[in-house]
Amino acid sequence: MDRKELAKKIQEERKKRGLTQEKIEKSLGLPQKAMTRIESGERAPSTLELTKLAELFNISIGDFLKNDSADEDPLITLHRMSPCLEKDPVIQEEISRCVHLCKEGISLERLLEQPSRQHVLFSPFDHPSTPLEAIKQGEQAAKEERRRLGMGNIPIHDIVELLTSQGVWCAATHLLPEMSGLFLYHSSIGMVILINADHGSARQRFSYAHEYAHALFDAKHQVLISDTLNSSDLLEKRANSFAAAFLMPEEGIAEILYSLNKGLTSRTSFSIFDVSTQGIIENEERKIAKNQKLSPQDVAFIAYRFGVSYPSAVYRLHTLQYLSHREREELLDKENQGRNYLRLLDHEDSEQIDKKLSLQRELRTYISRLVIEAYRQEKISRGRVIELSKLLNLPPQKILELADMNE
């Protein structure tokens, strides 16, 4: 919903209840003339202000999003937007079943007298006019949403649980191969995110975050499909930018790179004020450039920590200017090395997985990366790698192969 439409909705709800702008400002602790500016569309209310207004009016935030002139069944809209669904009745039935379950869920919530779902809504941005504007909007929104949720820079371990806590129905189901996900909004079901169950887990996480951006920004569209045909749309670019920054926050990436002693400048200058001479003591530290270069294993480690795919991590590092264009392409070409590293840690080549080792995966992931890096920098010998590999219960030859590939 654009700013003017939202302003009209707020004004209508206020007048229904016979409230003055001044009374609302006083009740919610808003600055003077804030409601005048909001209702004129001069400024957009913040997410917190909208939440307070919804509570004051005793409605859900989703009620602000209702488009009274277009209350068409979302499945009809979906099939009109993607007629190719008609060719696959199985997938069509899967989607219909998910929507039906959401309707039943709403009915059960009302039956149990549970509070109305407070749907998420981000302070409206204008429709982006350029790809750069779309990317910047997505990045900014991701930072603000993380701040609103009190998440800091930590990885999101269960994105489905997070989105569900924000009043969004979430499900993985079979979709057409070219579809990564879709977003539905309707007054009868609320907000629904469906993602392609046939995609890998990392891609599914990214799709959930991508569709969540549509829930925050684009509920007025009622139905949005994310597929290969519309990937160049500005709304899709904004959603992709949001997903990358939401799953891999800039400060979180910086913290991991710092802990790995990577992504730093090769030369660091130190200037210290000398109280005795009233002068400055200057010194400089130079790091071996080779040690600063990000390896496929470093990228795979970051991808693992944030639960994203290897290419997603590469592109995010490039966006944050940790990689040049040439380095980005080199790392993308070495994706198989990163995959082999993660496969090794997951024991995918072993038929029997020791449960204790599975519980130690986080520790083994970190230490094995250190082993590879130390060997690459010639800080430990092949014999030491073999010794540590046995301790980690990982194949020594594969550890050595991965380390040698970076040379």
Side-chain angles (χ1 to χ4, degrees):
M1 178 174 290
D2 64 33
R3 191 176 298 178
K4 290 288 186 183
E5 291 174 341
L6 180 60
K8 183 180 178 181
K9 279 279 188 181
I10 292 173
Q11 186 181 64
E12 288 174 353
E13 293 295 338
R14 174 180 65 79
K15 289 182 176 180
K16 279 182 188 178
R17 289 155 182 80
L19 298 172
T20 64
Q21 293 177 337
E22 293 76 12
K23 188 170 183 178
I24 290 179
E25 289 165 357
K26 186 175 181 180
S27 177
L28 301 185
L30 301 177
Q32 284 188 345
K33 302 298 181 182
M35 287 301 296
T36 300
R37 297 180 63 203
I38 288 173
E39 291 186 5
S40 67
E42 185 179 342
R43 86 165 175 87
S46 68
T47 303
L48 180 59
E49 288 169 344
L50 273 174
T51 301
K52 288 181 177 180
L53 285 168
E55 290 174 353
L56 181 65
F57 297 154
N58 195 27
I59 60 175
S60 71
I61 292 181
D63 290 325
F64 285 128
L65 299 174
K66 287 181 181 178
N67 189 338
D68 298 328
S69 62
D71 206 29
E72 183 179 59
D73 187 303
L75 289 177
I76 296 175
T77 307
L78 175 63
H79 293 149
R80 187 176 66 250
M81 292 178 63
S82 185
C84 53
L85 283 173
E86 302 293 339
K87 301 176 183 178
D88 197 321
V90 175
I91 291 179
Q92 187 177 345
E93 177 60 28
E94 283 281 305
I95 295 173
S96 297
R97 179 174 172 274
C98 288
V99 172
H100 181 70
L101 283 172
C102 293
K103 289 181 179 178
E104 292 294 342
I106 291 288
S107 297
L108 289 169
E109 287 178 346
R110 289 172 179 167
L111 183 65
L112 296 170
E113 299 182 351
Q114 293 186 3
S116 298
R117 286 177 167 253
Q118 293 294 317
H119 302 126
V120 293
L121 174 65
F122 198 82
S123 299
F125 278 123
D126 293 329
H127 192 292
S129 56
T130 65
L132 181 59
E133 185 180 3
I135 291 169
K136 286 184 175 180
Q137 285 183 1
E139 184 91 21
Q140 179 188 341
K143 289 181 180 179
E144 293 189 22
E145 184 63 5
R146 272 186 161 265
R147 190 180 302 118
R148 184 184 75 83
L149 295 170
M151 295 172 56
N153 301 320
I154 63 172
I156 300 171
H157 294 295
D158 192 337
I159 192 165
V160 174
E161 181 181 356
L162 175 65
L163 302 194
T164 300
S165 73
Q166 299 306 300
V168 182
W169 298 106
C170 296
T173 189
H174 296 295
L175 299 175
L176 297 174
E178 63 269 22
M179 286 184 181
S180 58
L182 57 90
F183 167 75
L184 303 172
Y185 175 73
H186 192 264
S187 57
S188 65
I189 56 174
M191 294 183 172
V192 182
I193 289 175
L194 301 180
I195 57 98
N196 198 322
D198 298 322
H199 292 165
S201 58
R203 186 173 177 183
Q204 287 184 24
R205 281 171 54 83
F206 197 92
S207 293
Y208 273 123
H210 177 103
E211 302 306 327
Y212 184 51
H214 288 319
L216 291 170
F217 292 116
D218 307 314
K220 70 173 182 177
H221 291 278
Q222 195 178 21
V223 174
L224 282 172
I225 299 171
S226 300
D227 58 22
T228 54
L229 297 176
N230 65 0
S231 59
S232 61
D233 290 356
L234 293 180
L235 295 186
E236 294 301 301
K237 288 183 181 296
R238 182 169 67 183
N240 278 328
S241 174
F242 173 90
F246 191 60
L247 293 174
M248 296 173 282
E250 181 177 358
E251 294 81 1
I253 293 285
E255 288 172 2
I256 288 184
L257 289 176
Y258 181 80
S259 72
L260 301 179
N261 199 31
K262 291 294 183 77
L264 308 173
T265 57
S266 60
R267 182 177 304 200
T268 305
S269 298
F270 301 91
S271 298
I272 305 172
F273 177 71
D274 186 348
V275 69
S276 60
T277 64
Q278 300 293 296
I280 297 175
I281 302 173
E282 295 193 67
N283 211 329
E284 187 174 83
E285 177 185 44
R286 297 189 65 183
K287 299 182 184 296
I288 303 173
K290 177 182 176 182
N291 296 349
Q292 289 300 300
K293 187 176 181 179
L294 289 169
S295 70
Q297 285 75 40
D298 293 326
V299 175
F301 180 73
I302 291 170
Y304 161 72
R305 287 296 298 273
F306 287 102
V308 299
S309 67
Y310 179 93
S312 293
V314 171
Y315 283 112
R316 182 65 174 149
L317 288 165
H318 178 250
T319 297
L320 297 176
Q321 299 183 5
Y322 288 111
L323 300 174
S324 65
H325 180 79
R326 178 180 58 80
E327 290 169 332
R328 183 193 74 183
E329 295 306 306
E330 287 177 355
L331 285 169
L332 288 173
D333 288 340
K334 295 178 179 178
E335 181 177 353
N336 283 337
Q337 293 183 31
R339 288 181 180 273
N340 289 338
Y341 175 57
L342 293 177
R343 189 176 297 117
L344 174 68
L345 295 173
D346 282 333
H347 278 252
E348 290 184 8
D349 295 331
S350 175
E351 293 183 0
Q352 294 183 345
I353 301 177
D354 189 317
K355 289 184 179 181
K356 290 184 179 179
L357 287 175
S358 181
L359 292 173
Q360 297 168 3
R361 183 171 185 250
E362 186 81 28
L363 183 63
R364 290 167 51 245
T365 299
Y366 185 72
I367 293 177
S368 62
R369 196 211 66 83
L370 294 179
V371 171
I372 292 172
E373 186 65 19
Y375 178 71
R376 192 176 71 85
Q377 294 186 26
E378 300 178 353
K379 301 288 180 69
I380 60 175
S381 65
R382 291 176 69 90
R384 182 64 173 150
V385 171
I386 293 171
E387 180 184 342
L388 291 170
S389 297
K390 290 178 179 178
L391 180 63
L392 292 165
N393 200 36
L394 296 172
Q397 193 56 40
K398 290 199 172 183
I399 289 284
L400 289 167
E401 287 174 3
L402 287 169
D404 290 333
M405 283 179 182
N406 293 321
E407 298 302 321

